[in-house]
Amino acid sequence: MVNQYINKNKDRFVDELLDMLRIPSVSADPKFKQDVMRTAEFVKQRLIDAGADNVELVETAGNPVVYGEKIVDPSLPTVIVYGHYDVQPADPYELWTSPPFEPVIKDGKIYARGACDDKGQMYMHVKAFETMMQTGTLTCNVKFMIEGEEEVGSVNLATFVKENKDRLTGDVILISDTGMLGNDTPSITAGLRGLSYVEVEVTGPNRDLHSGLYGGAVANPINILCQMIASLHDENNHITIPGFYDNVQELSQEERAEMARAPFDLDKYKKALDLGDVHGEAGYSTMERNSIRPTLDVNGIWGGYTGEGAKTVIASKAYAKISMRLVPDQTSEEITAKFKKHFESIAPKSVKVEVKPHHGGEPVVTPTDSVAYQAAAKAYEDTFGVKPVPVRSGGSIPIVAMFKSELGLDSVLMGFGLDSDAIHSPNEHFGIFNYMKGIETIPMFYKHFAEMKK
Amino acid sequence: MVNQYINKNKDRFVDELLDMLRIPSVSADPKFKQDVMRTAEFVKQRLIDAGADNVELVETAGNPVVYGEKIVDPSLPTVIVYGHYDVQPADPYELWTSPPFEPVIKDGKIYARGACDDKGQMYMHVKAFETMMQTGTLTCNVKFMIEGEEEVGSVNLATFVKENKDRLTGDVILISDTGMLGNDTPSITAGLRGLSYVEVEVTGPNRDLHSGLYGGAVANPINILCQMIASLHDENNHITIPGFYDNVQELSQEERAEMARAPFDLDKYKKALDLGDVHGEAGYSTMERNSIRPTLDVNGIWGGYTGEGAKTVIASKAYAKISMRLVPDQTSEEITAKFKKHFESIAPKSVKVEVKPHHGGEPVVTPTDSVAYQAAAKAYEDTFGVKPVPVRSGGSIPIVAMFKSELGLDSVLMGFGLDSDAIHSPNEHFGIFNYMKGIETIPMFYKHFAEMKK
């Protein structure tokens, strides 16, 4: 019955998504403010059409959150759906083969900014909800919380959550804003890394100096910064900050073996990135290095003369932005403090060092033995015919930790996108196969979740 | 007689310099082209007024060279005076306490762009020449070669020299474009370091990557660049490039002791630059580190995200500009080749490295036992009352090596500026004491040089 309804309405489901993709809801650029609001209205109206109650645009200091709900029976479990209706900027436009806000379908894929991230994946939930309403199969209460600032750091979402704790009671947060390994290898993101992000400033002499007259006699802050950064890894690519690994959960051999089931082709990986070799912590595989292990990367560095030609200057200052990806049970506060203390301690007397913390985020893990994970896994198995692989993603979704801390709720990350979807890049796309599989799989999650929660 | 003439004409000598300083002859900015030409005409006219023959503006592909000569007697030694009439840009104008092209005299110093570098020091030679002509004391032939592109790298001077070898025959090049240690500690620059300058590019993945998804698994080119740069010095701050020191002339203990006579106050030095400590090669003093020892400095570094806030990117590429100061008998070609070979050899397989050579310059030394040096030393002793200290400067003046290679002539660097004159900076100035001392000392050089050459 569910599948029948979905098949019958497939073209309309796609057309409605294309309509939403035509609205350039770029949250990072104020000139799209009207379009952001139009998109919020669009989502609101579609939730009303699908049968949600109490649908409204909740004002925030920034873009509104679209809220809507369907309380079938207060005794049933409640699923809170999170998604976002804003999109990344589309620049550089000239690299798109078709205009980013004029969606086209090619080879079974919808090409448009936001096709996957996250309009397409968010709208699967609206259409799955409509399907369950129309077929009388809604087995849980539902609350929608669709924000418009994810691409600018969800700056007002925590405030919204704090101020709306009463209506945000529920049993699980359901999010489709991640990917899966492949169309024949479904996977569920069972963990996300946290983040500690700092900016460092190294000051040598109090003004820029002529490198001829002073070179060799004073500390060059760029050379010193390079030495300090280089010293943060040892020859095995372990991070040398004292206590950095203290709270790292080591996975068991069984867990690592389970993870290693995910198909991975090292040659393809190297070829795709044009790498002579991979590079990382000794004793761990590439997939482990970017998921279950913490890392330290320089995200930006600058200092001295960076224009055309040659200038013989010793800069007064050198800067770097450095981020560390964290795993359970590291915390961003702990790691930022350890970094700061260590980095200041290794500075030679000939320079001054300042460490400024930026934002952080906490690592999260959805236990694979939790009801939510198990219900999701069964849903994928129903529609894909194979058991999904649990995957730890190297990325960070700070709101997931925020939902946990503010609402006490775990999130389950049912992503249907692919790595190749080019989110945040020109020619973003989303397979119609994936869009429809999402609409099919989501009702199965509600079904299993309700049954298992009984 | 000489001193009488100078004293009588002191005010006019200063006024004429102020007139020249009012013309903004900034060679780096095409909008000052007319002013550059006016300054060349100014110098030409003053050389004629002073009694020079065959004065002309010699066209080049850029700004003209002012040439003039006085051949007293072909059997006498010939001094070729080099200087430049162009100046550095004056930006940032707002940091000047008086407008850069409206010279004022404060506390016995002339404040204006070019007051010291090099209009003031160049014009000392014109006025010293006038003095010798008017007092019948010119004991050598003189040839003036005053260029207008020194501040943009003397781009056309080598061509001028090659095309004018016939008229540029002589015995020594005399240049006042350097400084001395102090007004009561005259010094002569007896050596200049050479330069090797390269730009390096490190490429990791073929595109910018998300540091969450790839961090820890691929080589981050910024981290790698930092490690490679850090490895270029060992724990004693020796440079680790194989063969780097092969051709370095070690100075004798006597020579080092002679150099150490130059007054130097480490505390003052640290305080002036706000340094917690100095930093350099083990086994050498600060003054040695920046003069008789070769160095390696990063002059600029950049890569990844350098804007406001945080972006979690692994850059595809990282860059640095690296210069090495050279001492006799290193050559820029040799050192650039050794750097390139070594830097490429230390790159891990996970990145690609490219090394692009920029321009170079050769180290030069004026032997302190040469006639030219000895004549200059006697001249300073005549007018300052103390023997000048021979100083090796850490900087490079590539034209000095060019004069040697093209004309076979040594240069003697009779500078009268001070470190505190703020050349290339706002509020450049030149002491009237220094200007007049230069005009007094130069005729003494001619006198001693003629006598010693007999």
Side-chain angles (χ1 to χ4, degrees):
Chain A
M1 201 160 61
V2 163
N3 281 352
Q4 235 171 355
Y5 184 85
I6 292 173
N7 283 333
K8 213 177 85 185
N9 290 283
K10 180 179 167 182
D11 290 350
R12 180 172 57 82
F13 287 179
V14 171
D15 287 343
E16 287 178 12
L17 173 56
L18 299 186
D19 284 343
M20 181 166 44
L21 291 171
R22 287 191 185 95
I23 321 177
S25 52
V26 178
S27 51
D29 188 340
K31 82 166 186 253
F32 294 104
K33 180 77 184 174
Q34 291 299 322
D35 297 304
V36 169
M37 293 305 297
R38 278 172 59 209
T39 312
E41 287 289 348
F42 182 100
V43 175
K44 174 185 164 189
Q45 194 53 50
R46 290 299 168 284
L47 278 175
I48 293 170
D49 295 348
D53 300 325
N54 303 320
V55 184
E56 62 166 310
L57 301 190
V58 184
E59 293 304 317
T60 72
N63 298 329
V65 175
V66 187
Y67 181 83
E69 60 182 28
K70 188 73 198 179
I71 308 301
V72 185
D73 175 346
S75 69
L76 289 175
T78 298
V79 174
I80 301 178
V81 174
Y82 165 85
H84 64 93
Y85 62 84
D86 65 322
V87 298
Q88 275 278 315
D91 330 66
Y93 280 64
E94 67 274 16
L95 296 185
W96 287 76
T97 53
S98 58
F101 299 109
E102 297 174 24
V104 294
I105 297 172
K106 279 182 292 194
D107 302 328
K109 300 182 196 93
I110 301 166
Y111 282 79
R113 169 56 81 231
C116 174
D117 178 18
D118 181 45
K119 282 176 173 169
Q121 296 216 73
M122 174 267 283
Y123 205 62
M124 297 182 315
H125 289 272
V126 181
K127 295 297 100 179
F129 171 63
E130 175 195 316
T131 300
M132 291 185 282
M133 288 293 287
Q134 293 297 323
T135 55
T137 55
L138 184 60
T139 54
C140 300
N141 302 310
V142 197
K143 294 174 177 175
F144 285 92
M145 164 175 55
I146 313 297
E147 71 152 322
E149 300 186 311
E150 200 272 347
E151 300 295 3
V152 288
S154 301
V155 278
N156 295 297
L157 190 68
T159 306
F160 167 82
V161 167
K162 277 177 201 160
E163 289 174 353
N164 290 275
K165 280 188 180 174
D166 286 350
R167 53 176 163 181
L168 294 175
T169 53
D171 296 276
V172 70
I173 310 271
L174 180 58
I175 305 176
S176 295
D177 197 16
T178 49
M180 55 181 192
L181 293 169
N183 284 347
D184 46 11
T185 318
S187 58
I188 298 174
T189 302
L192 292 164
R193 289 196 286 192
L195 183 69
S196 163
Y197 200 113
V198 298
E199 188 165 320
V200 301
E201 176 187 300
V202 175
T203 305
N206 55 4
R207 58 189 166 91
D208 287 2
L209 298 176
H210 188 289
S211 78
L213 303 181
Y214 291 92
V218 301
N220 178 324
I222 304 178
N223 288 69
I224 300 286
L225 176 60
C226 287
Q227 287 167 11
M228 292 173 73
I229 288 172
S231 79
L232 297 176
H233 289 93
D234 68 15
E235 66 282 10
N236 291 313
N237 274 306
H238 290 301
I239 293 158
T240 58
I241 298 167
F244 187 83
Y245 294 97
D246 281 359
N247 297 317
V248 171
Q249 280 184 12
E250 295 290 339
L251 268 67
S252 66
Q253 285 307 320
E254 291 70 35
E255 286 174 296
R256 292 177 68 179
E258 171 75 357
M259 276 188 62
R261 287 206 300 124
F264 177 71
D265 184 326
L266 187 62
D267 284 334
K268 268 193 194 160
Y269 184 87
K270 291 198 295 191
K271 206 167 171 186
L273 299 173
D274 195 17
L275 298 172
D277 203 354
V278 292
H279 185 99
E281 192 181 358
Y284 294 91
S285 72
T286 290
M287 291 309 282
E288 289 173 337
R289 286 168 176 171
N290 69 14
S291 61
I292 62 166
R293 296 300 296 171
T295 62
L296 184 150
D297 270 297
V298 182
N299 300 111
I301 193 166
W302 69 104
Y305 181 71
T306 60
E308 281 295 305
K311 188 175 169 183
T312 49
V313 65
I314 293 180
S316 172
K317 288 173 186 288
Y319 305 84
K321 292 178 193 273
I322 298 174
S323 68
M324 287 152 283
R325 295 285 166 174
L326 314 179
V327 301
D329 295 322
Q330 294 177 305
T331 71
S332 63
E333 195 182 336
E334 166 220 350
I335 293 299
T336 299
K338 284 176 177 170
F339 177 91
K340 186 173 156 70
K341 188 179 169 195
H342 177 64
F343 204 73
E344 288 168 350
S345 78
I346 60 174
K349 260 180 68 186
S350 50
V351 299
K352 297 177 194 72
V353 165
E354 198 177 343
V355 177
K356 295 176 214 161
H358 277 295
H359 70 282
E362 307 309 329
V364 285
V365 165
T366 310
T368 52
D369 57 3
S370 66
V371 167
Y373 183 88
Q374 289 291 334
K378 276 173 189 276
Y380 278 82
E381 203 173 348
D382 287 346
T383 53
F384 285 85
V386 288
K387 230 177 136 169
V389 180
V391 166
R392 294 276 198 106
S393 168
S396 307
I397 308 183
I399 52 162
V400 171
M402 187 269 286
F403 292 146
K404 181 75 180 177
S405 65
E406 292 297 331
L407 301 174
L409 295 180
D410 284 327
S411 296
V412 59
L413 301 168
M414 293 178 62
F416 295 90
L418 296 177
D419 241 20
S420 53
D421 285 346
I423 65 167
H424 293 211
S425 297
N427 304 312
E428 174 176 355
H429 55 270
F430 191 36
I432 291 177
F433 169 87
N434 303 71
Y435 179 60
M436 299 311 298
K437 266 292 191 247
I439 297 172
E440 288 168 32
T441 307
I442 291 162
M444 298 299 108
F445 171 78
Y446 283 73
K447 174 171 163 268
H448 293 299
F449 190 65
E451 278 168 9
M452 295 167 79
K453 278 297 234 186
K454 259 179 203 161
Chain B
M1 201 160 60
V2 163
N3 281 353
Q4 234 171 354
Y5 184 84
I6 292 172
N7 283 332
K8 213 178 83 184
N9 291 284
K10 180 178 169 185
D11 290 350
R12 179 172 58 82
F13 287 178
V14 171
D15 287 344
E16 287 178 13
L17 173 57
L18 299 186
D19 284 343
M20 182 167 42
L21 292 171
R22 287 191 185 95
I23 320 175
S25 53
V26 178
S27 51
D29 188 340
K31 83 166 186 254
F32 293 106
K33 180 76 184 174
Q34 290 300 321
D35 297 304
V36 169
M37 293 305 297
R38 277 172 57 210
T39 311
E41 287 289 348
F42 182 101
V43 176
K44 174 185 164 189
Q45 194 53 52
R46 289 301 168 282
L47 279 175
I48 293 169
D49 296 347
D53 300 323
N54 301 321
V55 184
E56 62 166 309
L57 301 190
V58 184
E59 294 304 317
T60 72
N63 299 328
V65 174
V66 188
Y67 180 83
E69 61 183 29
K70 187 73 198 179
I71 308 300
V72 185
D73 175 347
S75 70
L76 289 176
T78 298
V79 174
I80 302 177
V81 175
Y82 166 85
H84 63 93
Y85 62 83
D86 64 322
V87 299
Q88 275 278 314
D91 330 65
Y93 280 63
E94 66 275 16
L95 296 185
W96 286 77
T97 54
S98 59
F101 300 107
E102 297 173 24
V104 295
I105 297 172
K106 279 182 293 193
D107 301 328
K109 300 180 194 95
I110 301 167
Y111 283 79
R113 168 56 80 231
C116 175
D117 178 18
D118 184 44
K119 282 176 173 169
Q121 296 216 72
M122 174 267 284
Y123 205 62
M124 296 181 317
H125 288 272
V126 182
K127 294 297 98 179
F129 171 63
E130 175 195 316
T131 299
M132 291 185 282
M133 289 292 288
Q134 292 297 324
T135 56
T137 54
L138 185 61
T139 53
C140 300
N141 302 311
V142 197
K143 294 175 179 175
F144 286 91
M145 164 175 54
I146 314 298
E147 72 153 323
E149 300 186 310
E150 198 272 347
E151 300 297 359
V152 289
S154 300
V155 278
N156 295 297
L157 191 68
T159 307
F160 167 82
V161 168
K162 277 176 200 160
E163 290 175 353
N164 289 275
K165 280 189 181 174
D166 286 349
R167 53 176 164 182
L168 294 176
T169 53
D171 295 276
V172 70
I173 310 271
L174 180 58
I175 306 177
S176 295
D177 197 16
T178 49
M180 56 181 190
L181 293 169
N183 284 348
D184 45 11
T185 319
S187 57
I188 297 174
T189 302
L192 293 164
R193 291 196 284 191
L195 183 69
S196 163
Y197 200 113
V198 298
E199 188 165 322
V200 301
E201 176 188 299
V202 175
T203 305
N206 55 4
R207 57 188 167 92
D208 287 1
L209 298 176
H210 188 290
S211 77
L213 303 181
Y214 291 92
V218 300
N220 178 324
I222 303 178
N223 288 68
I224 300 287
L225 176 60
C226 287
Q227 286 167 12
M228 292 171 73
I229 287 172
S231 79
L232 297 176
H233 289 93
D234 68 15
E235 66 282 9
N236 291 314
N237 273 307
H238 290 301
I239 293 158
T240 57
I241 298 166
F244 186 82
Y245 293 98
D246 281 358
N247 297 317
V248 170
Q249 279 185 12
E250 296 290 338
L251 268 66
S252 66
Q253 285 308 320
E254 292 69 36
E255 286 173 296
R256 291 177 69 180
E258 171 76 358
M259 276 187 64
R261 287 205 302 122
F264 178 71
D265 185 326
L266 189 61
D267 284 334
K268 269 194 194 159
Y269 185 86
K270 291 197 295 191
K271 206 167 170 186
L273 299 173
D274 196 18
L275 299 173
D277 203 354
V278 292
H279 186 100
E281 190 181 1
Y284 294 90
S285 72
T286 291
M287 292 309 283
E288 289 173 338
R289 286 167 176 172
N290 68 14
S291 61
I292 61 166
R293 296 300 295 172
T295 62
L296 184 152
D297 271 297
V298 182
N299 300 110
I301 193 167
W302 68 104
Y305 180 71
T306 60
E308 280 296 305
K311 188 175 169 183
T312 49
V313 65
I314 293 180
S316 171
K317 288 174 186 287
Y319 305 85
K321 291 178 195 273
I322 299 174
S323 69
M324 287 152 284
R325 294 285 166 175
L326 314 180
V327 301
D329 295 321
Q330 293 177 306
T331 71
S332 62
E333 194 182 336
E334 166 219 351
I335 293 299
T336 299
K338 285 178 176 169
F339 177 92
K340 186 172 157 71
K341 187 178 171 195
H342 176 64
F343 204 73
E344 288 169 351
S345 78
I346 60 174
K349 258 180 69 185
S350 50
V351 299
K352 297 177 194 71
V353 165
E354 197 178 343
V355 177
K356 294 175 215 162
H358 277 295
H359 69 280
E362 307 310 329
V364 285
V365 166
T366 311
T368 52
D369 56 3
S370 66
V371 168
Y373 183 89
Q374 290 290 333
K378 276 174 188 276
Y380 278 83
E381 202 173 347
D382 288 345
T383 53
F384 285 86
V386 289
K387 229 177 138 172
V389 181
V391 166
R392 293 278 198 105
S393 168
S396 307
I397 308 182
I399 53 162
V400 171
M402 187 269 285
F403 292 146
K404 180 75 179 178
S405 65
E406 292 298 330
L407 301 174
L409 295 179
D410 283 327
S411 297
V412 60
L413 301 168
M414 291 178 63
F416 293 90
L418 296 178
D419 240 20
S420 52
D421 285 346
I423 65 167
H424 292 211
S425 297
N427 304 311
E428 174 177 355
H429 56 270
F430 191 36
I432 290 176
F433 170 87
N434 303 72
Y435 180 59
M436 298 312 297
K437 266 294 191 245
I439 297 172
E440 287 168 33
T441 308
I442 291 162
M444 296 302 108
F445 171 78
Y446 282 73
K447 173 172 164 267
H448 293 298
F449 190 65
E451 279 169 9
M452 295 167 79
K453 277 297 236 186
K454 259 180 202 159

